[in-house]
Amino acid sequence: MWSLWSQFTKNCDVENQVELEEKGRLVTQVLELQHTLEDLSARVDGVKEENLKLKSENQVLGQYIENLMSASSVFQTTDVKGKRK
């Protein structure tokens, strides 16, 4: 009877050890995923900032091009009917 109890407790110890190892692996995976999420969030924030910067630069360049076009006689509309006379 005593050896049966001893075998049972050994089996429980083995099962507990397996559970602990599995929990340890899961905790490690969760921590790795948290770090990955933090890295991705930081990257997204950086991309958002770069996007805002580039939008601002595009607006400045667009205004600059419009000003150049309006100041240039090449892009001015001409009266075609007046020239045909």
Side-chain angles (χ1 to χ4, degrees):
M1 182 79 164
W2 186 252
S3 74
L4 185 61
W5 179 254
S6 177
Q7 185 65 32
F8 175 75
T9 56
K10 284 181 185 178
N11 287 343
C12 288
D13 287 344
V14 170
E15 289 174 10
N16 286 339
Q17 185 65 29
V18 170
E19 278 186 34
L20 288 175
E21 289 173 2
E22 181 63 23
K23 285 179 183 180
R25 282 192 294 272
L26 290 174
V27 167
T28 301
Q29 283 181 322
V30 166
L31 292 174
E32 288 174 1
L33 290 172
Q34 282 179 337
H35 291 297
T36 301
L37 180 59
E38 289 170 359
D39 293 343
L40 289 173
S41 293
R43 185 173 176 203
V44 166
D45 290 341
V47 169
K48 283 181 180 179
E49 288 177 20
E50 182 69 16
N51 186 33
L52 289 174
K53 178 182 170 188
L54 291 174
K55 279 184 178 181
S56 176
E57 288 177 7
N58 282 344
Q59 287 176 340
V60 169
L61 288 173
Q63 187 63 46
Y64 177 72
I65 290 169
E66 284 181 27
N67 291 341
L68 285 176
M69 289 173 61
S70 66
S72 172
S73 61
V74 173
F75 296 105
Q76 299 297 321
T77 58
T78 56
D79 186 9
V80 178
K81 290 180 183 177
K83 289 187 176 182
R84 287 186 181 174
K85 289 184 180 178

